[in-house]
Amino acid sequence: MRTLGVVDTNVVVSGLVSPAEGAPPQRILNAMLAAELGFALSVELIAEYRGVLLRPGIMALHGLGEAEVDAILQRLALEAVEVDPEPIAVPHGVEPGDEHVARLALALPACVLITGDRALAAAMSGACEVRTAAEAQRLLAPAP
C-alpha cells in the first residue's frame, strides 16, 4: 500500500514564499509539483490553498498573480490522488478550521500528515503519522 502525504496549507504557502532556496517546505512543494511525492487532495483543501495564496499579504510575499497561482494549483490537482473524505469525527483538539485536513488524513489507510501547525500535529499524533516539512523532506531524493 502506497503511503500518501496530506500536505497542510501552511507548508504549501511556506514553499512559495520562502526566500531560502531548498528550504524544507519548498522541497515538499517542488516534489508535489514534480510527482516525486505522492499526496492526496480534497476539493476543500485545494480551495483552502487557493484562498490563502490569494490573500493580499501572501500575494505580496510570493509575487504571483491569480493566474499563476491557479496554474500551480492545477498542476497540483493533476498530480494528486483526489479523495472525498466522509464526515467522520476527528480527534479531540483538532481546531474547526483544520477538521477537513484531519478528515482527509484519516480517510487514507496509509498517510503522512505534513504540517507546521503544532496544535494540529499534537491533536493528530496517534491517529496518523505526522511530520514537519523538515522531517518529511528526508523521504525525498537528496537535494542536488
Side-chain angles (χ1 to χ4, degrees), residues 12-75:
V12 171
V13 171
S14 295
L16 276 180
V17 303
S18 177
E21 187 65 35
Q26 193 177 77
R27 287 201 63 215
I28 296 297
L29 179 59
N30 289 341
M32 293 167 72
L33 291 166
E36 295 169 358
L37 173 68
F39 64 99
L41 280 178
S42 64
V43 170
E44 194 170 2
L45 184 56
I46 197 116
E48 180 178 90
Y49 287 177
R50 187 176 194 277
V52 174
L53 290 171
L54 293 179
R55 290 179 185 165
I58 301 294
M59 288 181 77
L61 293 173
H62 61 59
L64 301 174
E66 184 175 358
E68 293 165 304
V69 167
D70 286 341
I72 290 169
L73 296 176
Q74 287 171 355
R75 282 183 52 203

